[in-house]
Amino acid sequence: SPLGYTSIGGLAISPKTGDLYFVDMDSNQAVRIDATSVRAGECTYQSHANSLFLSALEIAQSEVDLNCGEDSFSLMRDYTCQVDGTIPNGTLFEQVHTDSGYASDNPDVQSMAGMDEAAALLANRTDCEYESELNFDALLLGGYYCHVCLPYNHGSSCDAGGTCANVQWQGFTCDNEYYVDFESSANDPLLVLSSLHHDKTYPKNSMLELSRGV
């Protein structure tokens, strides 16, 4: 690169000035190339801004400036905004339970040292109502990604008709999901069918019947 940047992660051109902006990932810099510094004829740019958008922008700017004062309208972010550094009231964070949630100092919660007994009991909970005492944070922290109380097909993304089974802290499997792997062999290459849900690899030349719509 003639400019010395070799890891450009993105490009953008200003529709007003024609200046080129890009980010160099290795140096962690945002760079602007001034369009006026390029000699005439070597670099040309035609704005892609829609003419209808530009006319609507002018109308909106005129109306806002008329009603709210000159220079009141802007599409640019207000960089003069000051962030309020006041620490919020601690009561807003009472849902972060110290006995069962993210703030717990129990090593079974904060590491993989073990499994909390209460988390194991969540597997059989069916009190999923809105006013239930079930702690949904504890449900997810307990490693339940497929559970009767989780929304949208028990929390899984199985294809239509599929039923999930939870795999503690790893995810879930679907009973209508199968894997086909190619096993190369000099004499007899073949396709191998398996299912994580059924924990099974199907023998060579075996038949598998799939239900329609599942």
Side-chain angles (χ1 to χ4, degrees), residues 1-184:
S1 169
L3 298 177
Y5 299 105
T6 58
S7 58
I8 297 177
L11 291 170
I13 298 177
S14 170
K16 288 188 175 182
T17 65
D19 291 349
L20 174 66
Y21 294 83
F22 67 87
V23 174
D24 183 67
M25 294 182 291
D26 289 344
S27 62
N28 196 28
Q29 296 184 52
V31 183
R32 177 178 69 90
I33 299 178
D34 188 354
T36 61
S37 65
V38 181
R39 291 194 298 270
E42 290 189 6
C43 181
T44 59
Y45 171 73
Q46 182 177 358
S47 174
H48 292 279
N50 189 293
S51 58
L52 296 177
F53 169 78
L54 294 177
S55 61
L57 178 62
E58 292 178 359
I59 295 173
Q61 183 172 5
S62 299
E63 292 182 357
V64 172
D65 288 350
L66 178 62
N67 295 305
C68 303
E70 189 175 354
D71 297 329
S72 297
F73 180 85
S74 176
L75 292 181
M76 305 299 291
R77 182 176 298 174
D78 181 10
Y79 287 99
T80 63
C81 174
Q82 298 296 321
V83 177
D84 185 358
T86 304
I87 299 177
N89 192 319
T91 58
L92 297 176
F93 300 93
E94 288 182 351
Q95 70 273 23
V96 185
H97 316 287
T98 56
D99 59 343
S100 62
Y102 301 107
S104 174
D105 56 3
N106 187 327
D108 288 340
V109 174
Q110 300 297 351
S111 70
M112 296 300 292
M115 180 174 179
D116 188 84
E117 294 180 358
L121 296 176
L122 293 173
N124 299 320
R125 293 287 292 269
T126 58
D127 51 327
C128 313
E129 297 78 13
Y130 178 76
E131 297 180 351
S132 168
E133 295 182 357
L134 175 63
N135 185 329
F136 287 89
D137 280 345
L139 188 67
L140 295 175
L141 288 169
Y144 294 95
Y145 307 100
C146 169
H147 192 279
V148 66
C149 289
L150 292 178
Y152 304 111
N153 198 13
H154 293 177
S156 74
S157 56
C158 294
D159 288 335
T163 301
C164 66
N166 193 67
V167 181
Q168 205 78 16
W169 291 298
Q170 297 183 32
F172 56 87
T173 61
C174 301
D175 63 355
N176 62 344
E177 186 175 276
Y178 297 87
Y179 293 87
V180 179
D181 298 300
F182 176 75
E183 286 193 359
S184 59

